Amino acid sequence: MALSLDPEIAQALAPMAGAMADATPPAVGDIAARRAMWEPIIGAAGTAQPIPDDVKTSEHHTTADDGARITMRWYTKDGAAPGPAVLFFHGGGYIFGHIDLFDGPVSRYVSASGVPMLSVEYRRAPEHPFPAPLEDAYSALRWLHAHAAELGVDRDRIGVMGDSAGGGMAAGLTILARERGGPKVARQILIMPMLDDRTTTPDPHIAPYLLWSYDDSLTAWPALLGEAAGGPGVPATAAPARLEDATGHRPAAGLHRGRPARRLPRRRRRLRHQTQPRRRAGRIPPAPRCPTRVRLHRLHLRRRPPRHHRPHPRPHIHLSRHRARSPHATGGVCRRSTQVARTPLPAATESLGHRHEHTEAPRGRAGIPLRAACALTAGRLPDSMRAARHLILT
């Protein structure tokens, strides 16, 4: 099966791909070379968009159980009302990255959503292997709960969020908090999370399009877990895809490999592989391979009313392309006083592909646009925080 990169996604990834084009891929196990290559790229991506001036930051510190001092940065939007908050963990495969590199993305998340965030400078592997990074995250969660009143935060509405390794950290922290009986985590917001240490066999269909390669995973997981990586004894707090019992687990929503992620089950059941969620009735359908050419039968288009509810005279179903492109059209359906016009599939597909002004992007149940579900870079996720606010505030 031949795959191709969607032009819209290719355009978004072009700056990062261009920065990596002249770089020689580091060998498996070369952590210093990966830090030298990736951190400038992440920094450039973080500053590609303007940093909002309505967000203020302050530095805080806490101490882990082993005595390590942890730096945390608190982001708040001017005039934001007290309420929910998010504990944020940056990406970097557990081996590189720090909070300064993600200052721009976190500021934009806070400015767009109005939800304050606490970004955590957790310790990195291999200098500090598991469980040190997770214990740093747990100490930060306890600190946020302890200082919730003075920060204007509702303890019952604290969520955890992260991208890549930070997404795996957020999921592992939720499991750890459940095992230890608290503090409470209200929601998980996971962006392309790093969940499974067993994905070591390259997939030839997607390997040519990867920015984070299989060699990178073969370097990062052993740095975090040592010789246990890929073996049977890895706990779910280190690799959350190994979780067997999700009883009492908090809901998770996020973006993973270009499709909206389903919520983790609340009742006792065996989890399927996270990258291949089961299709269920009523769930958000996976994003199509070409998001600008959505399948119209999956959209909730307006249907004709039952026969006994139809107005008189009976509406005329008009299938011409002219009516479909009228200024009264919405989502491929043209509604007038006594006439209902429906767009033929080729015309509607063309209108969505060319972004006519009357066409709205389809959205899933969580409010995540399907097109945004495929935007994986730090500067291409403005709509993800709209979903984050929806998930936290409800």
Side-chain angles (χ1 to χ4, degrees), residues 5 45 122 146 158 168 215 224 227 282 362:
L5 197 61
Y122 58 86
I158 294 178
D215 287 349
L224 179 69
E227 295 181 357

Side-chain angles (χ1 to χ4, degrees), residues 85-137:
V86 168
L87 193 64
F88 181 84
F89 305 102
H90 66 77
Y94 295 106
I95 59 176
F96 55 79
H98 49 81
I99 58 176
D100 292 337
L101 292 177
F102 289 81
D103 193 61
V106 176
S107 297
R108 289 188 286 271
Y109 291 155
V110 173
S111 178
S113 68
V115 178
M117 291 190 174
L118 183 67
S119 184
V120 182
E121 185 77 281
Y122 58 86
R123 289 174 285 178
R124 307 180 303 186
E127 295 84 357
H128 303 281
F130 179 84
L134 186 62
E135 292 294 342
D136 294 350

Side-chain angles (χ1 to χ4, degrees), residues 22-39:
D22 299 331
T24 302
V28 174
D30 192 344
I31 295 174
R34 281 175 170 80
R35 289 174 177 173
M37 181 184 76
W38 274 104
E39 290 190 349

